[in-house]
Every structure is written in C-alpha cells, then in structure tokens.
Amino acid sequence: MIFRREIVRNLKPLLIWSGIIGGLILLTLAVFPQMAKQQETVGAMIDSLPDAMKKAFGMDRLGMDSLIGYYGIRVYLMPTLVGSIYAAILAGNIVAKESAEKTIEFLLSKPVTRFQVIGQKLLAVIVNLIILNTIIVLAALAGFQFAETSDVSPGTFLLLTLATFFLHLTFASIAFLLSSALRRTRNITSTSLGIVLFSYFLNVISAMSEDLALIKHFSFFHYIDAADIITTNGIDSKYIIVMVSIVIICLATAFSYFKKRDITV
C-alpha cells in the first residue's frame, strides 16, 4: 500500500527529471557528429584553455575526437550531477513530508509497523532511481546512434552506468537519513542539495589545484570520475567500499532512528 502510494505520488517528478536529463543527453550527443568534423578547431580551442580547467573536466586525459571521450567530458556530468540532485530531493522528502503534512500519525494507525513504513518508502526510492538510470542508459544508447562510428566499449559504458547509480544511491541514503531524523522538509532539501553541490565543488577545485589535491577524497564525484573509469576501464575498489559503507550506515541509522522517533513532536 505505502510502496504503491509513493510510486504514484512521485511519478510526475520522476517523469519530469528523467525527461530533462534524457533530453539533455540526447541533445548533447546529437552535436557530436558536427564536433567530430571540426576536430582541428575543437582541439585548438581545448588547447587554449588553462591547464587547471582541462584537468578539472578530464580534458587532459580524454579527447573530444572519440565518442566515449566526448561522453565523459560533456555528457557524463548531466546524469551524475543532475541525477544526484534528483536523488537527494526524492529521498530527502519521502519520510519528512509525512510529518510536514501531518499524516504520519494516520499512517502509523494502519496495521503496519514502523519498519514496514520506512522500508517501503526506501524501496520506492530505489525503484525510482532504477527507473531514472534506465532512462539515462536508453537516452545515451539512442544518442550514440547519431555518431557515424561508435568506439564506446560496452564494458566501459556499463562501468559508467554503475558508477552513476552508486553515486545516486549514496546521496539518496544520506538524504534518506536526514528525512528520517529531521522534520522540516525545507531544511532537509536545502541540506541535501548543499551536500551534493559541495561534493561537486570539492571535486572541481581539488582537480584545479595541486595544493588542494588531498580534498578530492572527500568528494563522491571523484570516486566516479569519468576520466579515471575510461582510461583504466575500472572503478577503484576502495571507492566502491566507501560508498557502499556509507549507504549501509546511513540506512541502518535511518531505520534505527525512525523506530525510536517520537512522532507526536
């Protein structure tokens, strides 16, 4: 009951966000054939950029002359950053809105346990993220068809897809914990978005300055860096362990807190 209700309630936002991200991916990939025909001009433009900027966006290791390089430089940011914002908003509101709308007491008066309530809400979040990432993959595959030749390795593209989903799930788990612990949805939304944007900011500035290179380890965006994944054809196992650990800790804490939470306050 709760799961179905959350799927229906969040269907419209899911379609809007999926449409925006999918549309941006398609439009950006549609430009690739023209970019490929003007490689000398594009290459000269990239060479004219500051080294710090090229390093920040992976242009020092990836080339715009290949489809996978173009995807890593220009397209990958859309599903990772914009998708993470959606994941944070979705998970940040899904529990707290019951308190904000004064429906939590009514919901718990039904023959369901608190574990079932929060469990079904979490399941709705995961299903929404799976749908979002499926649409992202379909949009990318459709966009690849604009290219006359494709050098995208299925294995590499799968790694980029898994990395994107892991990133979404990581931010969603943090926002889900905030949603279970806090009551004001406005505070949760702003905090969740702040975490996503701050993490991205750390990744950019750490790449632009050698003096700040150490702080890249505090950015989840560094963990799923497109240039690293494409050039090494893999995701660093220690980063996967960190993200999985954060997801488990945040979700376990969220369940524990919600179980003891005084809903009358």
Side-chain angles (χ1 to χ4, degrees):
M1 178 188 72
I2 298 173
F3 170 75
R4 190 187 318 115
R5 172 171 166 262
E6 292 299 337
I7 291 295
V8 173
R9 289 177 67 176
N10 291 287
L11 180 59
K12 184 177 179 180
L14 172 63
L15 293 177
I16 292 174
W17 282 89
S18 298
I20 292 172
I21 298 173
L24 288 172
I25 291 173
L26 280 172
L27 288 173
T28 308
L29 286 172
V31 179
F32 176 74
Q34 285 72 35
M35 297 279 288
K37 294 177 182 178
Q38 303 175 17
Q39 278 307 308
E40 290 187 8
T41 304
V42 174
M45 181 184 68
I46 293 177
D47 290 339
S48 67
L49 294 174
D51 290 339
M53 182 175 292
K54 288 190 286 187
K55 188 175 180 181
F57 296 98
M59 290 182 283
D60 59 328
R61 289 175 290 167
L62 300 178
M64 298 280 277
D65 56 333
S66 67
L67 183 57
I68 189 63
Y70 180 84
Y71 182 86
I73 294 172
R74 292 206 59 193
V75 182
Y76 190 62
L77 178 64
M78 299 169 194
T80 52
L81 179 57
V82 182
S84 294
I85 291 173
Y86 165 75
I89 293 175
L90 171 67
N93 287 328
I94 202 162
V95 177
K97 66 184 177 184
E98 301 293 351
S99 296
E101 297 172 1
K102 308 298 182 182
T103 56
I104 187 66
E105 293 90 346
F106 172 77
L107 186 63
L108 292 178
S109 68
K110 300 295 182 180
V112 292
T113 64
R114 294 195 181 197
F115 183 88
Q116 290 173 319
V117 170
I118 196 171
Q120 291 187 47
K121 285 179 174 289
L122 174 60
L123 181 59
V125 170
I126 295 174
V127 169
N128 274 272
L129 293 181
I130 291 175
I131 294 173
L132 174 69
N133 280 267
T134 300
I135 294 174
I136 288 172
V137 170
L138 294 176
L141 292 176
F144 290 157
Q145 305 310 308
F146 290 112
E148 296 179 0
T149 58
S150 175
D151 61 347
V152 178
S153 165
T156 302
F157 182 65
L158 176 61
L159 288 172
L160 292 171
T161 300
L162 291 175
T164 302
F165 180 71
F166 271 120
L167 183 68
H168 293 170
L169 196 58
T170 300
F171 283 119
S173 66
I174 295 173
F176 192 78
L177 172 58
L178 293 175
S179 185
S180 302
L182 304 178
R183 300 176 187 277
R184 296 183 179 179
T185 55
R186 182 180 301 179
N187 292 344
I188 296 169
T189 300
S190 59
T191 302
S192 300
L193 290 179
I195 292 173
V196 173
L197 297 176
F198 183 66
S199 181
Y200 176 71
F201 175 74
L202 288 181
N203 184 52
V204 172
I205 64 171
S206 66
M208 295 180 69
S209 173
E210 291 292 340
D211 296 333
L212 300 174
L214 185 63
I215 66 175
K216 66 184 179 182
H217 299 293
F218 297 97
S219 171
F220 297 122
F221 286 92
H222 172 70
Y223 298 176
I224 50 90
D225 182 71
D228 287 340
I229 295 174
I230 294 171
T231 55
T232 65
N233 198 33
I235 307 174
D236 196 320
S237 59
K238 68 174 178 287
Y239 293 145
I240 296 177
I241 292 173
V242 170
M243 287 191 288
V244 171
S245 298
I246 289 175
V247 170
I248 293 174
I249 292 171
C250 286
L251 295 183
T253 305
F255 273 75
S256 176
Y257 189 90
F258 188 78
K259 183 179 179 181
K260 303 174 182 177
R261 177 174 166 180
D262 183 1
I263 63 170
T264 61
V265 178

mmCIF file of all heavy atoms in Angstrom, residues 210-252:
data_model
loop_
_atom_site.group_PDB
_atom_site.id
_atom_site.type_symbol
_atom_site.label_atom_id
_atom_site.label_comp_id
_atom_site.label_asym_id
_atom_site.label_seq_id
_atom_site.Cartn_x
_atom_site.Cartn_y
_atom_site.Cartn_z
ATOM 1 N N GLU A 210 46.946 21.606 -7.354
ATOM 2 C CA GLU A 210 47.714 20.526 -6.735
ATOM 3 C C GLU A 210 47.748 20.664 -5.215
ATOM 4 O O GLU A 210 47.812 19.673 -4.487
ATOM 5 C CB GLU A 210 49.142 20.523 -7.294
ATOM 6 C CG GLU A 210 49.259 20.101 -8.745
ATOM 7 C CD GLU A 210 48.936 18.642 -8.952
ATOM 8 O OE1 GLU A 210 48.990 17.878 -7.965
ATOM 9 O OE2 GLU A 210 48.606 18.261 -10.084
ATOM 10 N N ASP A 211 47.705 21.906 -4.749
ATOM 11 C CA ASP A 211 47.758 22.147 -3.301
ATOM 12 C C ASP A 211 46.506 21.628 -2.597
ATOM 13 O O ASP A 211 46.533 21.369 -1.389
ATOM 14 C CB ASP A 211 47.908 23.644 -3.017
ATOM 15 C CG ASP A 211 49.232 24.194 -3.539
ATOM 16 O OD1 ASP A 211 50.195 23.407 -3.630
ATOM 17 O OD2 ASP A 211 49.295 25.396 -3.856
ATOM 18 N N LEU A 212 45.413 21.500 -3.344
ATOM 19 C CA LEU A 212 44.150 21.043 -2.762
ATOM 20 C C LEU A 212 43.798 19.616 -3.179
ATOM 21 O O LEU A 212 42.671 19.180 -2.985
ATOM 22 C CB LEU A 212 43.017 21.991 -3.182
ATOM 23 C CG LEU A 212 43.169 23.455 -2.760
ATOM 24 C CD1 LEU A 212 42.053 24.291 -3.363
ATOM 25 C CD2 LEU A 212 43.162 23.584 -1.237
ATOM 26 N N ALA A 213 44.762 18.917 -3.742
ATOM 27 C CA ALA A 213 44.500 17.576 -4.279
ATOM 28 C C ALA A 213 43.990 16.604 -3.210
ATOM 29 O O ALA A 213 43.216 15.690 -3.510
ATOM 30 C CB ALA A 213 45.760 17.011 -4.932
ATOM 31 N N LEU A 214 44.395 16.814 -1.979
ATOM 32 C CA LEU A 214 44.015 15.898 -0.905
ATOM 33 C C LEU A 214 42.515 15.873 -0.663
ATOM 34 O O LEU A 214 41.948 14.824 -0.311
ATOM 35 C CB LEU A 214 44.751 16.275 0.388
ATOM 36 C CG LEU A 214 44.538 15.333 1.588
ATOM 37 C CD1 LEU A 214 45.075 13.944 1.262
ATOM 38 C CD2 LEU A 214 45.222 15.891 2.827
ATOM 39 N N ILE A 215 41.844 17.001 -0.872
ATOM 40 C CA ILE A 215 40.413 17.072 -0.539
ATOM 41 C C ILE A 215 39.545 16.314 -1.543
ATOM 42 O O ILE A 215 38.352 16.140 -1.308
ATOM 43 C CB ILE A 215 39.922 18.531 -0.441
ATOM 44 C CG1 ILE A 215 39.987 19.223 -1.806
ATOM 45 C CG2 ILE A 215 40.709 19.298 0.598
ATOM 46 C CD1 ILE A 215 39.412 20.623 -1.793
ATOM 47 N N LYS A 216 40.139 15.839 -2.640
ATOM 48 C CA LYS A 216 39.346 15.092 -3.612
ATOM 49 C C LYS A 216 38.778 13.815 -3.003
ATOM 50 O O LYS A 216 37.755 13.313 -3.439
ATOM 51 C CB LYS A 216 40.181 14.749 -4.838
ATOM 52 C CG LYS A 216 41.327 13.764 -4.567
ATOM 53 C CD LYS A 216 42.176 13.553 -5.813
ATOM 54 C CE LYS A 216 43.328 12.589 -5.524
ATOM 55 N NZ LYS A 216 44.202 12.418 -6.716
ATOM 56 N N HIS A 217 39.445 13.302 -1.972
ATOM 57 C CA HIS A 217 38.986 12.070 -1.334
ATOM 58 C C HIS A 217 37.715 12.286 -0.509
ATOM 59 O O HIS A 217 37.091 11.317 -0.066
ATOM 60 C CB HIS A 217 40.091 11.504 -0.443
ATOM 61 C CG HIS A 217 41.344 11.155 -1.189
ATOM 62 N ND1 HIS A 217 41.407 10.129 -2.112
ATOM 63 C CD2 HIS A 217 42.586 11.722 -1.173
ATOM 64 C CE1 HIS A 217 42.628 10.068 -2.620
ATOM 65 N NE2 HIS A 217 43.360 11.013 -2.062
ATOM 66 N N PHE A 218 37.327 13.548 -0.322
ATOM 67 C CA PHE A 218 36.093 13.857 0.403
ATOM 68 C C PHE A 218 34.939 14.149 -0.552
ATOM 69 O O PHE A 218 33.854 14.530 -0.114
ATOM 70 C CB PHE A 218 36.315 15.058 1.332
ATOM 71 C CG PHE A 218 37.339 14.813 2.400
ATOM 72 C CD1 PHE A 218 38.654 15.238 2.226
ATOM 73 C CD2 PHE A 218 37.006 14.135 3.562
ATOM 74 C CE1 PHE A 218 39.614 15.010 3.207
ATOM 75 C CE2 PHE A 218 37.955 13.905 4.550
ATOM 76 C CZ PHE A 218 39.261 14.330 4.370
ATOM 77 N N SER A 219 35.172 13.953 -1.830
ATOM 78 C CA SER A 219 34.140 14.190 -2.835
ATOM 79 C C SER A 219 33.711 12.876 -3.474
ATOM 80 O O SER A 219 34.539 12.145 -4.018
ATOM 81 C CB SER A 219 34.646 15.145 -3.924
ATOM 82 O OG SER A 219 33.732 15.206 -4.998
ATOM 83 N N PHE A 220 32.422 12.590 -3.423
ATOM 84 C CA PHE A 220 31.915 11.369 -4.054
ATOM 85 C C PHE A 220 32.038 11.441 -5.571
ATOM 86 O O PHE A 220 32.115 10.402 -6.239
ATOM 87 C CB PHE A 220 30.454 11.144 -3.666
ATOM 88 C CG PHE A 220 30.247 10.932 -2.196
ATOM 89 C CD1 PHE A 220 29.414 11.773 -1.466
ATOM 90 C CD2 PHE A 220 30.892 9.906 -1.537
ATOM 91 C CE1 PHE A 220 29.220 11.581 -0.106
ATOM 92 C CE2 PHE A 220 30.715 9.709 -0.174
ATOM 93 C CZ PHE A 220 29.874 10.547 0.540
ATOM 94 N N PHE A 221 32.062 12.647 -6.138
ATOM 95 C CA PHE A 221 32.191 12.782 -7.584
ATOM 96 C C PHE A 221 33.572 12.330 -8.052
ATOM 97 O O PHE A 221 33.718 11.866 -9.185
ATOM 98 C CB PHE A 221 31.927 14.226 -8.014
ATOM 99 C CG PHE A 221 30.477 14.609 -7.967
ATOM 100 C CD1 PHE A 221 29.931 15.196 -6.837
ATOM 101 C CD2 PHE A 221 29.636 14.350 -9.044
ATOM 102 C CE1 PHE A 221 28.590 15.538 -6.781
ATOM 103 C CE2 PHE A 221 28.288 14.688 -8.995
ATOM 104 C CZ PHE A 221 27.765 15.269 -7.866
ATOM 105 N N HIS A 222 34.565 12.477 -7.196
ATOM 106 C CA HIS A 222 35.898 11.985 -7.545
ATOM 107 C C HIS A 222 35.897 10.461 -7.630
ATOM 108 O O HIS A 222 36.627 9.881 -8.437
ATOM 109 C CB HIS A 222 36.922 12.449 -6.508
ATOM 110 C CG HIS A 222 38.274 11.832 -6.691
ATOM 111 N ND1 HIS A 222 39.103 12.144 -7.755
ATOM 112 C CD2 HIS A 222 38.932 10.887 -5.962
ATOM 113 C CE1 HIS A 222 40.207 11.438 -7.661
ATOM 114 N NE2 HIS A 222 40.132 10.669 -6.586
ATOM 115 N N TYR A 223 35.084 9.830 -6.815
ATOM 116 C CA TYR A 223 35.042 8.366 -6.790
ATOM 117 C C TYR A 223 34.569 7.777 -8.120
ATOM 118 O O TYR A 223 34.915 6.641 -8.457
ATOM 119 C CB TYR A 223 34.112 7.873 -5.680
ATOM 120 C CG TYR A 223 34.527 8.252 -4.273
ATOM 121 C CD1 TYR A 223 33.728 7.936 -3.184
ATOM 122 C CD2 TYR A 223 35.716 8.937 -4.024
ATOM 123 C CE1 TYR A 223 34.089 8.292 -1.887
ATOM 124 C CE2 TYR A 223 36.085 9.281 -2.743
ATOM 125 C CZ TYR A 223 35.270 8.967 -1.675
ATOM 126 O OH TYR A 223 35.629 9.314 -0.401
ATOM 127 N N ILE A 224 33.748 8.540 -8.850
ATOM 128 C CA ILE A 224 33.182 8.012 -10.093
ATOM 129 C C ILE A 224 33.647 8.860 -11.279
ATOM 130 O O ILE A 224 32.910 9.016 -12.264
ATOM 131 C CB ILE A 224 31.636 7.952 -10.017
ATOM 132 C CG1 ILE A 224 31.029 9.295 -9.530
ATOM 133 C CG2 ILE A 224 31.202 6.884 -9.036
ATOM 134 C CD1 ILE A 224 30.708 10.264 -10.599
ATOM 135 N N ASP A 225 34.856 9.388 -11.196
ATOM 136 C CA ASP A 225 35.402 10.253 -12.230
ATOM 137 C C ASP A 225 35.447 9.532 -13.581
ATOM 138 O O ASP A 225 35.977 8.425 -13.699
ATOM 139 C CB ASP A 225 36.809 10.688 -11.838
ATOM 140 C CG ASP A 225 37.418 11.637 -12.849
ATOM 141 O OD1 ASP A 225 36.970 12.782 -12.927
ATOM 142 O OD2 ASP A 225 38.333 11.198 -13.575
ATOM 143 N N ALA A 226 34.875 10.171 -14.600
ATOM 144 C CA ALA A 226 34.772 9.547 -15.920
ATOM 145 C C ALA A 226 36.141 9.261 -16.520
ATOM 146 O O ALA A 226 36.360 8.190 -17.113
ATOM 147 C CB ALA A 226 33.962 10.438 -16.851
ATOM 148 N N ALA A 227 37.070 10.207 -16.402
ATOM 149 C CA ALA A 227 38.397 10.013 -16.988
ATOM 150 C C ALA A 227 39.099 8.812 -16.367
ATOM 151 O O ALA A 227 39.757 8.024 -17.075
ATOM 152 C CB ALA A 227 39.228 11.280 -16.808
ATOM 153 N N ASP A 228 38.982 8.658 -15.057
ATOM 154 C CA ASP A 228 39.593 7.505 -14.388
ATOM 155 C C ASP A 228 38.980 6.198 -14.872
ATOM 156 O O ASP A 228 39.687 5.225 -15.157
ATOM 157 C CB ASP A 228 39.418 7.618 -12.867
ATOM 158 C CG ASP A 228 40.315 8.678 -12.250
ATOM 159 O OD1 ASP A 228 41.319 9.049 -12.894
ATOM 160 O OD2 ASP A 228 40.014 9.139 -11.139
ATOM 161 N N ILE A 229 37.651 6.163 -14.947
ATOM 162 C CA ILE A 229 36.959 4.941 -15.345
ATOM 163 C C ILE A 229 37.279 4.569 -16.790
ATOM 164 O O ILE A 229 37.538 3.401 -17.108
ATOM 165 C CB ILE A 229 35.435 5.094 -15.159
ATOM 166 C CG1 ILE A 229 35.096 5.254 -13.678
ATOM 167 C CG2 ILE A 229 34.687 3.906 -15.753
ATOM 168 C CD1 ILE A 229 33.639 5.560 -13.408
ATOM 169 N N ILE A 230 37.286 5.566 -17.675
ATOM 170 C CA ILE A 230 37.521 5.298 -19.101
ATOM 171 C C ILE A 230 38.964 4.898 -19.370
ATOM 172 O O ILE A 230 39.229 3.961 -20.135
ATOM 173 C CB ILE A 230 37.119 6.523 -19.942
ATOM 174 C CG1 ILE A 230 35.607 6.747 -19.851
ATOM 175 C CG2 ILE A 230 37.539 6.346 -21.399
ATOM 176 C CD1 ILE A 230 35.138 8.050 -20.467
ATOM 177 N N THR A 231 39.912 5.592 -18.745
ATOM 178 C CA THR A 231 41.327 5.306 -19.018
ATOM 179 C C THR A 231 41.801 4.006 -18.369
ATOM 180 O O THR A 231 42.666 3.321 -18.905
ATOM 181 C CB THR A 231 42.216 6.467 -18.540
ATOM 182 O OG1 THR A 231 41.951 6.736 -17.150
ATOM 183 C CG2 THR A 231 41.941 7.715 -19.346
ATOM 184 N N THR A 232 41.223 3.657 -17.217
ATOM 185 C CA THR A 232 41.635 2.428 -16.531
ATOM 186 C C THR A 232 40.667 1.269 -16.765
ATOM 187 O O THR A 232 40.970 0.134 -16.416
ATOM 188 C CB THR A 232 41.743 2.660 -15.012
ATOM 189 O OG1 THR A 232 40.443 2.970 -14.471
ATOM 190 C CG2 THR A 232 42.697 3.803 -14.705
ATOM 191 N N ASN A 233 39.506 1.598 -17.345
ATOM 192 C CA ASN A 233 38.445 0.618 -17.570
ATOM 193 C C ASN A 233 38.082 -0.100 -16.272
ATOM 194 O O ASN A 233 37.940 -1.330 -16.212
ATOM 195 C CB ASN A 233 38.866 -0.411 -18.628
ATOM 196 C CG ASN A 233 37.677 -1.165 -19.204
ATOM 197 O OD1 ASN A 233 36.581 -0.604 -19.330
ATOM 198 N ND2 ASN A 233 37.868 -2.420 -19.545
ATOM 199 N N GLY A 234 37.908 0.694 -15.227
ATOM 200 C CA GLY A 234 37.547 0.132 -13.936
ATOM 201 C C GLY A 234 37.221 1.215 -12.927
ATOM 202 O O GLY A 234 37.503 2.395 -13.144
ATOM 203 N N ILE A 235 36.607 0.801 -11.824
ATOM 204 C CA ILE A 235 36.305 1.699 -10.707
ATOM 205 C C ILE A 235 37.145 1.255 -9.523
ATOM 206 O O ILE A 235 37.172 0.059 -9.194
ATOM 207 C CB ILE A 235 34.809 1.655 -10.322
ATOM 208 C CG1 ILE A 235 33.921 1.912 -11.545
ATOM 209 C CG2 ILE A 235 34.497 2.679 -9.238
ATOM 210 C CD1 ILE A 235 32.437 1.742 -11.259
ATOM 211 N N ASP A 236 37.845 2.188 -8.926
ATOM 212 C CA ASP A 236 38.708 1.859 -7.785
ATOM 213 C C ASP A 236 37.882 1.172 -6.695
ATOM 214 O O ASP A 236 36.884 1.712 -6.225
ATOM 215 C CB ASP A 236 39.342 3.145 -7.242
ATOM 216 C CG ASP A 236 40.526 2.848 -6.322
ATOM 217 O OD1 ASP A 236 40.432 1.897 -5.535
ATOM 218 O OD2 ASP A 236 41.529 3.575 -6.417
ATOM 219 N N SER A 237 38.316 -0.008 -6.297
ATOM 220 C CA SER A 237 37.557 -0.811 -5.330
ATOM 221 C C SER A 237 37.394 -0.106 -3.984
ATOM 222 O O SER A 237 36.367 -0.255 -3.315
ATOM 223 C CB SER A 237 38.220 -2.173 -5.122
ATOM 224 O OG SER A 237 39.554 -2.020 -4.662
ATOM 225 N N LYS A 238 38.387 0.689 -3.593
ATOM 226 C CA LYS A 238 38.281 1.353 -2.284
ATOM 227 C C LYS A 238 37.165 2.389 -2.284
ATOM 228 O O LYS A 238 36.513 2.612 -1.267
ATOM 229 C CB LYS A 238 39.603 1.985 -1.882
ATOM 230 C CG LYS A 238 40.080 3.163 -2.676
ATOM 231 C CD LYS A 238 41.336 3.748 -2.030
ATOM 232 C CE LYS A 238 41.886 4.916 -2.847
ATOM 233 N NZ LYS A 238 42.531 4.451 -4.084
ATOM 234 N N TYR A 239 36.915 2.994 -3.435
ATOM 235 C CA TYR A 239 35.832 3.965 -3.519
ATOM 236 C C TYR A 239 34.471 3.275 -3.483
ATOM 237 O O TYR A 239 33.510 3.800 -2.911
ATOM 238 C CB TYR A 239 35.971 4.797 -4.795
ATOM 239 C CG TYR A 239 37.188 5.692 -4.812
ATOM 240 C CD1 TYR A 239 37.890 5.939 -5.983
ATOM 241 C CD2 TYR A 239 37.647 6.291 -3.635
ATOM 242 C CE1 TYR A 239 39.013 6.772 -5.990
ATOM 243 C CE2 TYR A 239 38.765 7.103 -3.630
ATOM 244 C CZ TYR A 239 39.444 7.345 -4.819
ATOM 245 O OH TYR A 239 40.548 8.160 -4.807
ATOM 246 N N ILE A 240 34.390 2.112 -4.099
ATOM 247 C CA ILE A 240 33.143 1.335 -4.036
ATOM 248 C C ILE A 240 32.856 0.942 -2.592
ATOM 249 O O ILE A 240 31.715 1.041 -2.122
ATOM 250 C CB ILE A 240 33.234 0.079 -4.915
ATOM 251 C CG1 ILE A 240 33.389 0.482 -6.391
ATOM 252 C CG2 ILE A 240 32.000 -0.802 -4.731
ATOM 253 C CD1 ILE A 240 33.551 -0.694 -7.322
ATOM 254 N N ILE A 241 33.893 0.515 -1.882
ATOM 255 C CA ILE A 241 33.739 0.110 -0.482
ATOM 256 C C ILE A 241 33.255 1.292 0.358
ATOM 257 O O ILE A 241 32.372 1.151 1.214
ATOM 258 C CB ILE A 241 35.068 -0.446 0.069
ATOM 259 C CG1 ILE A 241 35.412 -1.766 -0.619
ATOM 260 C CG2 ILE A 241 34.990 -0.641 1.582
ATOM 261 C CD1 ILE A 241 36.782 -2.302 -0.272
ATOM 262 N N VAL A 242 33.829 2.478 0.113
ATOM 263 C CA VAL A 242 33.434 3.671 0.873
ATOM 264 C C VAL A 242 31.966 4.004 0.627
ATOM 265 O O VAL A 242 31.195 4.249 1.567
ATOM 266 C CB VAL A 242 34.318 4.877 0.505
ATOM 267 C CG1 VAL A 242 33.746 6.161 1.110
ATOM 268 C CG2 VAL A 242 35.743 4.659 0.988
ATOM 269 N N MET A 243 31.553 4.002 -0.641
ATOM 270 C CA MET A 243 30.169 4.346 -0.966
ATOM 271 C C MET A 243 29.190 3.322 -0.405
ATOM 272 O O MET A 243 28.144 3.690 0.157
ATOM 273 C CB MET A 243 30.001 4.488 -2.481
ATOM 274 C CG MET A 243 30.619 5.750 -3.049
ATOM 275 S SD MET A 243 30.178 6.091 -4.774
ATOM 276 C CE MET A 243 31.124 4.815 -5.615
ATOM 277 N N VAL A 244 29.508 2.053 -0.553
ATOM 278 C CA VAL A 244 28.629 1.003 -0.021
ATOM 279 C C VAL A 244 28.536 1.108 1.496
ATOM 280 O O VAL A 244 27.452 0.954 2.081
ATOM 281 C CB VAL A 244 29.135 -0.395 -0.434
ATOM 282 C CG1 VAL A 244 28.365 -1.492 0.293
ATOM 283 C CG2 VAL A 244 28.994 -0.585 -1.944
ATOM 284 N N SER A 245 29.649 1.389 2.148
ATOM 285 C CA SER A 245 29.661 1.526 3.615
ATOM 286 C C SER A 245 28.790 2.698 4.056
ATOM 287 O O SER A 245 28.028 2.588 5.027
ATOM 288 C CB SER A 245 31.096 1.722 4.117
ATOM 289 O OG SER A 245 31.902 0.608 3.800
ATOM 290 N N ILE A 246 28.897 3.818 3.345
ATOM 291 C CA ILE A 246 28.087 4.990 3.685
ATOM 292 C C ILE A 246 26.610 4.692 3.505
ATOM 293 O O ILE A 246 25.775 5.067 4.338
ATOM 294 C CB ILE A 246 28.514 6.200 2.828
ATOM 295 C CG1 ILE A 246 29.879 6.691 3.288
ATOM 296 C CG2 ILE A 246 27.479 7.333 2.921
ATOM 297 C CD1 ILE A 246 30.452 7.793 2.433
ATOM 298 N N VAL A 247 26.267 4.002 2.425
ATOM 299 C CA VAL A 247 24.870 3.636 2.179
ATOM 300 C C VAL A 247 24.339 2.763 3.307
ATOM 301 O O VAL A 247 23.254 3.011 3.854
ATOM 302 C CB VAL A 247 24.727 2.897 0.828
ATOM 303 C CG1 VAL A 247 23.324 2.296 0.697
ATOM 304 C CG2 VAL A 247 24.994 3.844 -0.329
ATOM 305 N N ILE A 248 25.104 1.755 3.685
ATOM 306 C CA ILE A 248 24.667 0.833 4.746
ATOM 307 C C ILE A 248 24.526 1.563 6.082
ATOM 308 O O ILE A 248 23.526 1.396 6.796
ATOM 309 C CB ILE A 248 25.663 -0.343 4.877
ATOM 310 C CG1 ILE A 248 25.616 -1.223 3.622
ATOM 311 C CG2 ILE A 248 25.348 -1.180 6.119
ATOM 312 C CD1 ILE A 248 26.668 -2.303 3.603
ATOM 313 N N ILE A 249 25.513 2.373 6.431
ATOM 314 C CA ILE A 249 25.489 3.093 7.710
ATOM 315 C C ILE A 249 24.320 4.070 7.762
ATOM 316 O O ILE A 249 23.583 4.141 8.764
ATOM 317 C CB ILE A 249 26.823 3.832 7.937
ATOM 318 C CG1 ILE A 249 27.953 2.834 8.163
ATOM 319 C CG2 ILE A 249 26.711 4.784 9.130
ATOM 320 C CD1 ILE A 249 29.338 3.457 8.191
ATOM 321 N N CYS A 250 24.120 4.830 6.690
ATOM 322 C CA CYS A 250 23.044 5.829 6.664
ATOM 323 C C CYS A 250 21.672 5.163 6.752
ATOM 324 O O CYS A 250 20.795 5.614 7.501
ATOM 325 C CB CYS A 250 23.135 6.671 5.394
ATOM 326 S SG CYS A 250 24.463 7.879 5.393
ATOM 327 N N LEU A 251 21.483 4.083 5.999
ATOM 328 C CA LEU A 251 20.180 3.419 6.001
ATOM 329 C C LEU A 251 19.920 2.723 7.334
ATOM 330 O O LEU A 251 18.794 2.768 7.853
ATOM 331 C CB LEU A 251 20.102 2.414 4.850
ATOM 332 C CG LEU A 251 20.145 3.010 3.437
ATOM 333 C CD1 LEU A 251 19.989 1.921 2.390
ATOM 334 C CD2 LEU A 251 19.063 4.073 3.262
ATOM 335 N N ALA A 252 20.948 2.096 7.899
ATOM 336 C CA ALA A 252 20.777 1.438 9.191
ATOM 337 C C ALA A 252 20.445 2.455 10.276
ATOM 338 O O ALA A 252 19.571 2.223 11.124
ATOM 339 C CB ALA A 252 22.052 0.665 9.560
#
